Each structure stands twice: as structure tokens, then as C-alpha cells.
Amino acid sequence: MAGRKPQLKLGAFLSVPGNHLAGWRHPDAVPDCDMDFAWYMRLAQMAERHLYDTIFFQDTVAVAGSDALKAGDRTRTRLSRIVKLEPTATLAALAVGTSRIGLVATATTTFNEPYNIARRFATIDHISKGRCGWNLVTSQIEDEAGNFGLDTHVDHALRYERAIEFYEVVSGLWDSWAEDAFLRDKESGVWFDPDRMRFLDHKGKHFACRGPLNVPRTPQGRPIVAQAGSSEPGKELAARTADVVFTAQTELQAAQEFYADVKGRTYRYGRTPDDIKIMPGITPVLGRTMAEAQEKYDQLQSLLPDEVALAALARFTRGVDIFSYPLHGPMPELPEANSAKSRQKLIMDMARKGNLSLIQTARAVSAAQGHRVLVGTPDYIADELEEWLRKGGADGFNVICNYYPGPFQDFSEMVIPELQRRGIFRTEYEGTTLRENLGLRAPPSVWT
Amino acid sequence: MAGRKPQLKLGAFLSVPGNHLAGWRHPDAVPDCDMDFAWYMRLAQMAERHLYDTIFFQDTVAVAGSDALKAGDRTRTRLSRIVKLEPTATLAALAVGTSRIGLVATATTTFNEPYNIARRFATIDHISKGRCGWNLVTSQIEDEAGNFGLDTHVDHALRYERAIEFYEVVSGLWDSWAEDAFLRDKESGVWFDPDRMRFLDHKGKHFACRGPLNVPRTPQGRPIVAQAGSSEPGKELAARTADVVFTAQTELQAAQEFYADVKGRTYRYGRTPDDIKIMPGITPVLGRTMAEAQEKYDQLQSLLPDEVALAALARFTRGVDIFSYPLHGPMPELPEANSAKSRQKLIMDMARKGNLSLIQTARAVSAAQGHRVLVGTPDYIADELEEWLRKGGADGFNVICNYYPGPFQDFSEMVIPELQRRGIFRTEYEGTTLRENLGLRAPPSVWT
């Protein structure tokens, strides 16, 4: 059982076939696991066996880099993560082969209708008996706009305005029914109590939605809401709506500031800091010795051609043709972006602080797309995680692996037992719902 | 193995807790199976054990009757099928516990984006290894419009125009990749061949969509497309796009005309009659004797209050206040409707031919919502199905049950063995994909 120490939360960010852009080329990698559902199930069950709070799928509603492809850039043909299983269908399927782990998937507020999203996630919460989470995002990449009738991408501020209203509609729809609304009484023939049903009658700038939702109140009250934006409006939206915040943080001090900032904003919305779990991403590279770990990291990096690294960096450098700059010269300054603002800032900070050249920056980004890479022994990595937990840098971590299944198995079998020995990670699930396992209180409800 | 006789196709239309509006009140019914995924799985596995071609879920993106509810009509609180699991998430989950049966769900073209629909159904086809189908509909009920920002429902003709273009985008996206597009070659580091990828670059009246889809070509080539519209534009759309047509037919002659009509139109689109399987709905009520079957039917009808029957009928009679007409007087004439046109005509024909009063019409509609009710012995029902198959009225049937699981089990255990004895239904699955089991040829592809 959990002791009195603060407890780490762990998410398994399943970025198949691997988050490192050359991860799929590793001799032990399984390149086609991106489309093989049996692998998704195997990884989800492995995560459950090791007591992760949740698995997590990011999402893009496009072939990433398709604009560059269209312009004839064949480097893109060397990037994996071009296709994948759609995350909500995948979550629903994974609910059947698992029983305790949380199931979180991303769905964009930019190219969906709130009624459809409210309904699908509520359904997965019912199918999984209270283990579902929705990662609310605004769409980041220009490629996506072209699949939804738009020539250019929706403006950053407008996307957040829409996201806030989207959330209001979705969370309102999740309150359509009181828990006891359905009588299903054969004798009297009464199916439900209309006084325990609510029309939403939302009329806003972006949406009008009458409701009620055609799904009852869910086992968790409502699905968990996750957020990943780290820009100003992103943090504000998180403070207002999120149960869980995913973020990219590479330095403890910046992580502490982000942590305090987001948690501090919760009061504005009648919430408290405990209502949000902040989970930066980490990419572990494990060895029995520090040297062995570093060797593993170097091996992966050796599989990454320079032009692929540059193509990866180019995703975050719109407005600047980085290919025209000298490889070993300094990282060029970037104009303010409309998408992935905070990730862009993180990359620039990393380049400046490490005094990295263009190609060094590109190769670092390719390794973990801006997330923190932890190269070392199980003890070293456990030390780092514990320090961030104790010092207010994180409530937990989202574990992102360079390829699957090896590094995921390494972290699960080598680091998790060490975290358990230190008394900062569970040895059994606390509850049956994701909300219970995350230690979150019941959501607000119009019915109580 | 199948003999030389024409083979019946069978779909299990899972309308939980029961398609009969008082079905849930039957002593053996399970009223809360509408939200209990374990029951969905049990029924799907039962259908697979009995070799049905497919299970099928209809859909409504609203609480049906919510406009009447809003107006204070408490009769609606006596209707079941108010809430349900969202069908695409449900399909994905059912893929995990089944291995051979087809999985078909409805998704509307009226309130979705084609990229999202193409992607989700393609994903379910991958998860199920080629067993997925999309029932393409235009939304029928006014209740739905209010959940998507519209005050009134989209005009019937415009809905079909949008549906046709929606299909073009979806089927185009399903052709984004050749089967051999993904090399995933660790040695060379090449992930895919850009010459085996296609941008759709669709620009139409309702949609613009660049593509490509971020899901590879699916195990069946592409998911099966089902259609259920029976109006003029509905039949035209079916002839152009459908692999399977669901329809409500109560008389052999009308069924034959519909069958010949839809199949005849296929030539206009470079298709042949064999490319479409036409499957009317049937609701079986089984007894060891005709009298026992009739008794069962009467028992169900006795559970149905008049006002519930009228409320059910009212769904198809917009523009006429049927509650103001005498119960035992004739069925009033109806003005032309904007939605569910063909169903409305079917109901009026049924009332006229049977010389039914208003309440008799309402009670008949409540029993099967316009579908054919077959009350009798296994032999009698098998005779009827065989006759329609032999005489060009149907290629198969969609079995719709008054409640679950009893009547579904009765049909599966009493009628299916009789169909097998007659050599008109399989004794084992012919293939592993839905397309193979339906006996359909490979879909057209830009890559062959």
C-alpha cells in the first residue's frame, strides 16, 4: 500500500513505433507495430501489469509533413509516425483487454463537433467502467487544416477561444443526466425521470447545442480531462479545465515555475492545486552503468541521418528556411509562430543554453521532440524523478520511449521497482477508476 | 460448405434493449443492457457463433423525441432507446472479443467531417482485420439538428447532395495508399514510397480535403459501405455507393420492385447487381405452433400503452397533430416530409392496405417501426425467408428483435438450423473478412 510520501503518477505515452525519429531502425524495434493492434494491446497490458496510471495517445489529423511532401521533400519518406490507428477507436478496443489502467486519447477541438466528442468519450468511460480520459488540444500543425476545408491554419487565439467554448459544451453535455435518472421500471412502464434530465441549451459564438447527450452520466462522473498546451492561453485553459497536464520540461527550475504557475491559476476557477496533476514527459535511456546508457543513446543517434533531423526540426521553425543555414553554425532566430508556440520556445532555450549548433539542435529535437531525455542507471533516473516530485516540479511523468517494446520494458522493470522501494509509487491500484487512481475528487455536477 | 443454392445473408440488428417499444417490459428482457457493454459483447459473440454475416448498429445523434420532451410531453419518458453506447467506439471494442463476424455501424454524413469518418472506420477495419462496415446515412430526425448549431433540419435534397460528396471524399481517402506503400526498411532508413501515396485534393461544394489519410489501405481494401435510404435519392446513392442495402419491406411485390430498381441502377455507375446485397429487416416472433407465436406477440403488444404507441407514430408524422384525431378513426393523411420520407410512405401504405385505424397503425409501427413482423413457427419463417430469396425480394435479412436476448436466441437456434438444412445458409464462414463472407469482389482502387 502507498505510504505517506507523495506518490508519483505515471503515464505510458505510447508513441509507436518509437518516439525517437530513428527509433524504428533499432535492431530490436518493431517497425510495423504502428498498425498492429495486437502490439497496442500488448503494450497496454504491460503498462497495466506495471501499475501505470494511464496509457496515452497523442494525435494528428493529417499525415504530418504532408505539405513538405507535397512540395517534393523526399526526406519525409524517412520519417516514421506517418500513419497510426485512430486513438478513440483504439482506446475502446483496449478497454476490452484491460481492467484497471486509465485510457487517455487526444481529440482536437479544432476539427470536431462537441456533441460527437462528448458522446464518444462518455461511451468509452462506460465501456471501460470509468477509466477514460480526453486530452483536449487545439490543432497545432498546418497540415491538418487542409483536410478540413481550410487553406491556412486557424489563428492561435481563435483556436483557444473555440477550445474553451468546446470544453463548456462537452462538460455541460456530460451533466445531461443525474445518476438516478433511469428507472427502467417494467411494472409502471416508466423508463426515465424527466426531472433528472437537463437540456443544455448552449448558444455561444462558436457552437449552439441543445442536448441532452444520449449517453447517461458516466462511471467516473465524467471522463478525465487532460491538457498539453503550455502557452499563456494553454496554461489558462489547463487551470480552468484540466485534471491532468502533460508538458515538455527539461530544466527543474522552469518545471517548478510552470507547476506553480498552472496550479496557482486554479483558484480563479473555483478549483485548487490538488485538482490538477502535472506530468512532464521523460524519455528514459537505461543502462546498468552510466557508460552503457550513454552508449545506447549514441547508438540510436547514429541511426539518424542529418537531413531527417533537420526535417524534424523544420516542423517547429515555420517562416525560416533552416535548410539554407550552415549545419554547424548557430541555431537561427525564429519569428513568432501561430502553432506549437511553447514547444518552439523550449527548443530555442535549449539551443541557447547548450550553445548548440543548428544540427545539434536538430538532433536533440529528433531524439524526444523537446522532452527531457534521461540517460543513465535505474538509480540515477529514480533520483531525478524523485527530486522533481519532492521539489514541486512534477506530480508524475509521462514515459515516452525511443522505440517499443525494449526501452518501455526497461523502464517498467528497472525503474518502477526502484520507485516502489522508495515508497513513491504504488504497489497496487488504489481504485477501479482512473479518477480514483489519480487521487482526484468527484467532478463538479449540477445534480449535487 | 455452401451448396449451389443462392445463399442468404444475415445481419443481427442489435437494437438494445429491444426494438419493440414495450419489449423492455417483457419479463425476460434485460432493460439496462442498453448501457451494459458486457451484453453487447455477449450478443455479438452469440451472433458469431451462429454465423451471422454481421452485427449492425443504427444511430441517432440526439435523444430521440427530445423536442417533444422539451414541450413537456411526458409520454416520452415511457420510451426506451433514449441512451445507448456510441456505435463506432462499440464496434472497435467488439472487434477484440470476436474474430469472424462483420461489424457495421451507422455514422451520419450530416453532422460529421469526412476525414474523421474515413479514418475511424479504416482504423476499425485494421483492428478487426477486415471486418468493418460503415452504414452511410443522412440524419433523419429534427432533434439532431439542435445539437449541431442548426435551428431547423437540413433540407432533404441538400442532405443527399452532401452525402454523395461526403462518400466521394471518404472513398477517395481510403485510396490514399497503395498496399505496398510502406517499406519500413531499417537498413536504408526509408519508411515509405511517396509514389505509392496519393493526395486527394478534393475541392467540392460542401468539402475541401487534401489528404492523404493517415491510415494505410485497409485489410478489406476498404470498409464495406451500407445504406438504408429508400427514397429516390436514397436508392440512387445506394446504387452508386453501397455494398449492402438495409431496407424496410413488408410485401414481397414491393420488395421485388425495390430490389430490381436498386440493382438496375448499378449499371449507371459501372457496377453490377451482384455488387449490392439487399437485406430487408425482419422481426421474428417464434413459437412451436402458430398459436403460441401469436400469443407471444399479443403478450408484447399488451405491454404497450396507447399513448406510447402514438408517441412512436408521431416521430413519422411531423406537420400533423395525430393526438387530436380519434383513436379508432382512420389514419389521417400526411403532408410531404423532409425526413424519413420512405418510412412515412411505408406506414401510410400499411394503414391503407390493412384498413387500419389510427391506433392500430400506431401499435403496428411501435412493434417494428415499419419492418416486417414474422409471427410463426421456425418452418413458417424459414419458408418466408426462402421465398423472398428465391423470388428476388432479398439477398438476405437483417434480424431485428423485440427484446434481448430471448427472441434473438430463438431465431438463432430455431430458424438458422432450418435455413442450413435447406442449404441456403452457411455452416461455416467462407472467409476471414466481411467482404469475403458477403461474397463481394475487391473494391475498385486507383492502384490497380
Side-chain angles (χ1 to χ4, degrees), chain A residues 25-27 29 34 59-60 66 70 77 86 119-120 123 146-147 149 184 186-187 191 201 208 210-211 214, chain B residues 25-27 29 34 59-60 66 70 77 86 119-120 123 146-147 149 184 186-187 191 201 208 210-211 214:
Chain A
R25 296 184 67 190
H26 190 279
D34 57 344
D59 196 37
T60 303
S66 52
K70 187 143 210 184
T77 64
E86 190 278 329
R119 187 178 178 216
R120 204 148 73 242
T123 292
N147 291 327
R184 298 184 176 94
K186 286 184 181 182
E187 195 49 48
W191 184 257
D201 288 327
R210 188 179 63 177
N214 55 357
Chain B
R25 296 183 67 189
H26 190 279
D34 57 345
D59 195 38
T60 303
S66 53
K70 187 142 208 182
T77 65
E86 189 277 330
R119 189 180 177 213
R120 204 147 72 240
T123 292
N147 290 329
R184 299 184 176 95
K186 286 185 182 182
E187 195 51 47
W191 184 257
D201 287 327
R210 187 179 62 177
N214 57 355

Side-chain angles (χ1 to χ4, degrees), chain A residues 82-372:
Chain A
I82 290 292
V83 291
K84 61 189 286 195
L85 297 175
E86 190 278 329
T88 63
T90 305
L91 277 201
L94 292 174
V96 175
T98 57
S99 61
R100 303 297 288 276
I101 196 164
L103 306 164
V104 181
T106 301
T108 179
T109 56
T110 310
F111 305 117
N112 277 300
E113 286 281 345
Y115 196 93
N116 293 334
I117 291 297
R119 187 178 178 216
R120 204 148 73 242
F121 281 91
T123 292
I124 300 170
D125 209 45
H126 279 281
I127 292 177
S128 66
K129 299 189 193 301
R131 297 185 287 128
C132 176
W134 169 39
N135 182 37
L136 179 169
V137 301
T138 73
S139 279
Q140 291 200 339
I141 69 167
E142 275 74 358
D143 294 325
E144 297 177 298
N147 291 327
F148 296 88
L150 299 172
D151 285 335
T152 55
H153 203 42
V154 185
D155 174 72
H156 189 268
L158 204 63
R159 285 204 324 266
Y160 270 94
E161 190 186 272
R162 180 180 160 109
I164 292 168
E165 191 181 330
F166 196 109
Y167 170 80
E168 278 169 13
V169 176
V170 168
S171 56
L173 287 170
W174 284 339
D175 257 357
S176 293
W177 303 91
E179 244 174 86
D180 57 1
F182 293 91
L183 310 171
R184 298 184 176 94
D185 181 24
K186 286 184 181 182
E187 195 49 48
S188 66
V190 175
W191 184 257
F192 72 93
D193 177 355
D195 299 331
R196 308 298 280 164
M197 179 194 87
R198 192 179 70 119
F199 287 95
L200 182 61
D201 288 327
H202 174 91
K203 282 196 172 65
K205 180 172 166 189
H206 297 273
F207 306 106
C209 185
R210 188 179 63 177
L213 192 65
N214 55 357
V215 180
R217 192 162 190 82
T218 82
Q220 287 185 102
R222 64 190 197 200
I224 294 297
V225 173
Q227 264 276 295
S230 297
S231 64
E232 261 313 297
K235 285 188 282 196
E236 206 61 30
L237 184 59
R240 182 170 177 166
T241 67
D243 300 305
V244 172
V245 171
F246 299 132
T247 175
Q249 301 292 340
T250 54
E251 304 283 341
L252 175 56
Q253 193 189 320
Q256 288 166 324
E257 285 166 12
F258 176 82
Y259 185 98
D261 184 3
V262 171
K263 296 217 170 192
R265 295 177 196 228
T266 54
Y267 297 107
R268 299 182 195 170
Y269 303 104
R271 308 179 73 208
T272 72
D274 284 347
D275 292 336
I276 297 189
K277 302 298 171 192
I278 295 183
M279 299 171 70
I282 52 155
T283 295
V285 181
L286 278 151
R288 281 160 302 177
T289 64
M290 293 301 273
E292 188 187 77
Q294 187 62 45
E295 204 175 298
K296 280 195 189 172
Y297 182 70
D298 294 342
Q299 184 196 3
L300 263 172
Q301 288 293 62
S302 77
L303 297 170
L304 181 72
D306 280 348
E307 68 269 27
V308 173
L310 286 175
L313 178 60
R315 273 192 59 189
F316 301 106
T317 59
R318 309 215 166 237
V320 171
D321 178 17
I322 56 163
F323 299 95
S324 68
Y325 286 79
L327 275 187
H328 301 284
M331 178 68 196
E333 287 300 319
L334 303 174
E336 202 192 356
N338 179 34
S339 64
K341 279 174 184 286
S342 51
R343 195 58 64 89
Q344 181 172 318
K345 181 172 177 306
L346 196 86
I347 291 166
M348 287 310 297
D349 287 351
M350 179 179 71
R352 277 198 213 97
K353 279 189 191 161
N355 200 21
L356 303 182
S357 68
L358 171 61
I359 188 62
Q360 284 171 326
T361 308
R363 297 184 72 86
V365 167
S366 303
Q369 282 100 72
H371 284 287
R372 187 173 184 220

Side-chain angles (χ1 to χ4, degrees), chain B residues 173-218:
Chain B
L173 288 169
W174 283 339
D175 257 357
S176 293
W177 303 91
E179 243 175 86
D180 56 1
F182 293 92
L183 309 170
R184 299 184 176 95
D185 180 24
K186 286 185 182 182
E187 195 51 47
S188 66
V190 175
W191 184 257
F192 72 93
D193 177 355
D195 299 331
R196 309 296 283 163
M197 180 194 88
R198 191 179 71 120
F199 288 94
L200 182 62
D201 287 327
H202 175 91
K203 283 198 173 62
K205 180 172 168 190
H206 298 272
F207 306 106
C209 185
R210 187 179 62 177
L213 192 65
N214 57 355
V215 180
R217 193 162 189 82
T218 82

Side-chain angles (χ1 to χ4, degrees), chain B residues 261-278:
Chain B
D261 184 2
V262 171
K263 296 217 171 193
R265 295 177 196 228
T266 55
Y267 297 108
R268 298 181 196 171
Y269 303 104
R271 308 179 73 209
T272 71
D274 283 348
D275 292 337
I276 298 188
K277 301 297 170 192
I278 294 182

